[in-house]
Amino acid sequence: MDKRTVLYDRHVALGARLVDFAGWAMPVHYGSQIEEHHAVRTAAGMFDVSHMTIADLRGERVREFLRHLLANDVERLQVRGKALYSCMLNERGGVVDDLIVYYLEDDFFRMVVNAATRDKDLAWIGARARPFDVELRERRDLAMIAVQGPEAREKVYAALDPAQADRARTLRPFSGVDAGGVFVARTGYTGEDGFEILLPEERAPALWTDLQEAGVRPCGLGARDTLRLEAGMCLYGSDMDEETSPLESGLGWTVAWEPAERDFVGRAALEAQRAAGVERRQVGLVLQDRGVLRGHQRVVVEGAGEGEVTSGGFSPTLGVGIALARVPARIGTECQVEIRGRLHRASVVKPPFVRHGKRVYSV
């Protein structure tokens, strides 16, 4: 826990409970994880996500390189500022990491990958970039603040200067823009509208304070995890890893199969798996009995075999236990989960569980 973001002093001053996350001292909550969760669902909350890894890629062949590196196809990005979510695969079709990539110029893309996978990702990308003469530069000089919730956009406009706010107002979902040296992207991880703001480290504390004064509640990683689970978004290392493919992790929609001649890393293995049919798939679970779903709990599917909860918890919005689970592909609409030695009934649903503050699954 020897690494600190530029907002560390702000977290301490706010009385945050700090925990170790991939070597970073990060706030898990500022007194109440539940209240922070509800603040994002009903108003606006902000997260210090400066520990995440931001990397810029430059070169005349950078688009060609990314079309080879990623399972999704950056050729879909034809408007500057547009973002794309993708998995980065190994040759076996396993997920090296998931990420967001932004098209900024013909020779310039920006990528945001996870914090815990920083060293592995940079080595992986750098080794594959060299044959394409693509320069990889990690942006340790940038901080990152995510502001999410139904009131997030208006509160961010109030915290930015007028020219920056005007630029931010032009953004459509899943796109970003440079606004006076601050990169504002209309993306997020919570199932709510809002922004992720990348800015020079020295400017981050002042923006954090301005957002607080605009009425945005500081939130920790605890609320961020319950929000992302309700939003049905996979967590790297729990719901996917190098041993599971996007087809087994509910991320088949992120694989661009066309054009067929695009030879991305892992394509051959993924095509073979698709042709043979996957034996496991990712589903959502809603617990029908009292209890809390947790990662690695055993899932029993009558007549089809067993699976495992990959990430789970109690949903503050819904008031029930929810989870993502990797299960036999032949699962029906019901299963059982083993909690402390007892089997509990669960319904099988299609994620997400919550979107824009409302329940969206059906059973």
Side-chain angles (χ1 to χ4, degrees):
M1 197 159 107
D2 57 343
K3 293 182 283 190
R4 299 175 177 180
T5 75
V6 72
L7 296 170
Y8 174 83
D9 289 344
R10 291 288 194 279
H11 304 322
V12 172
L14 289 167
R17 180 190 172 199
L18 296 164
V19 298
D20 179 275
F21 183 87
W24 293 86
M26 299 300 295
V28 66
H29 63 69
Y30 299 84
S32 173
Q33 176 181 332
I34 297 297
E35 290 179 8
E36 292 163 21
H37 180 106
H38 289 310
V40 173
R41 287 283 179 245
T42 60
M46 61 180 169
F47 306 85
D48 176 14
V49 284
S50 304
H51 60 311
M52 296 189 71
T53 306
I54 304 166
D56 289 348
L57 299 106
R58 295 179 184 269
E60 292 183 2
R61 298 176 65 193
V62 64
R63 183 180 289 268
E64 179 186 356
F65 164 62
L66 289 171
R67 296 194 74 204
H68 173 66
L69 181 74
L70 303 179
N72 210 338
D73 190 358
V74 297
E75 192 62 16
R76 294 174 172 177
L77 303 178
Q78 295 298 322
V79 177
R80 286 181 174 81
K82 191 66 180 168
L84 184 78
Y85 174 75
S86 181
C87 291
M88 181 166 62
L89 307 181
N90 58 31
E91 296 291 354
R92 303 186 307 277
V95 181
V96 175
D97 204 358
D98 65 326
L99 55 91
I100 293 179
V101 60
Y102 298 90
Y103 163 44
L104 300 182
E105 300 289 344
D106 289 343
D107 61 352
F108 176 24
F109 285 70
R110 172 166 289 166
M111 186 179 286
V112 180
V113 301
N114 288 301
T117 51
R118 171 190 173 273
D119 294 343
K120 177 185 75 169
D121 287 355
L122 293 177
W124 181 268
I125 297 166
R128 282 147 190 83
R130 281 191 285 274
F132 293 84
D133 293 323
V134 168
E135 176 193 14
L136 171 65
R137 179 192 172 201
E138 184 186 7
R139 297 300 306 271
R140 297 287 292 272
D141 57 315
L142 297 179
M144 187 168 167
I145 299 171
V147 187
Q148 297 279 291
E151 300 176 6
R153 290 169 62 197
E154 291 304 321
K155 293 185 185 303
V156 168
Y157 299 151
L160 296 175
D161 70 39
Q164 291 174 329
D166 286 345
R167 294 283 283 166
R169 284 190 180 92
T170 67
L171 285 174
R172 299 181 67 82
F174 234 65
S175 59
V177 67
D178 183 87
V182 174
F183 185 76
V184 183
R186 197 169 162 192
T187 55
Y189 195 54
T190 63
E192 299 293 336
D193 202 351
F195 295 116
E196 292 177 309
I197 304 169
L198 288 64
L199 72 168
E201 277 196 331
E202 63 273 15
R203 297 170 67 176
L207 178 62
W208 183 269
T209 299
D210 291 344
L211 288 165
Q212 256 193 288
E213 291 176 351
V216 182
R217 179 167 183 152
C219 302
L221 297 182
R224 183 171 158 84
D225 193 54
T226 52
L227 290 159
R228 76 90 197 161
L229 180 60
E230 288 184 350
M233 295 185 181
C234 290
L235 177 66
Y236 190 80
S238 295
D239 305 306
M240 55 183 158
D241 55 32
E242 293 197 36
E243 304 306 317
T244 56
S245 78
L247 305 183
E248 300 167 305
S249 304
L251 294 169
W253 62 274
T254 69
V255 179
W257 298 103
E258 299 294 336
E261 62 271 20
R262 185 174 69 93
D263 183 24
F264 61 83
V265 178
R267 175 162 195 145
L270 217 56
E271 285 188 337
Q273 188 179 56
R274 183 173 67 156
V278 294
E279 296 180 356
R280 305 175 298 169
R281 65 186 178 99
Q282 193 90 335
V283 298
L285 301 182
V286 178
L287 195 61
Q288 298 303 309
D289 302 327
R290 294 185 64 181
V292 178
L293 297 171
R294 299 292 186 198
H296 305 299
Q297 288 171 339
R298 187 168 67 103
V299 179
V300 179
V301 183
E302 186 175 352
E306 296 185 358
E308 182 182 63
V309 171
T310 52
S311 61
F314 184 78
S315 164
T317 303
L318 302 170
V320 295
I322 60 173
L324 298 175
R326 188 166 295 114
V327 297
R330 293 190 296 110
I331 193 171
T333 59
E334 299 286 338
C335 66
Q336 294 179 299
V337 182
E338 183 178 342
I339 304 174
R340 296 181 178 179
R342 294 182 56 195
L343 292 176
H344 295 255
R345 297 177 300 120
S347 297
V348 179
V349 305
K350 181 180 179 181
F353 303 92
V354 176
R355 184 59 50 89
H356 299 307
K358 306 292 184 185
R359 165 181 157 169
V360 292
Y361 67 88
S362 59
V363 295

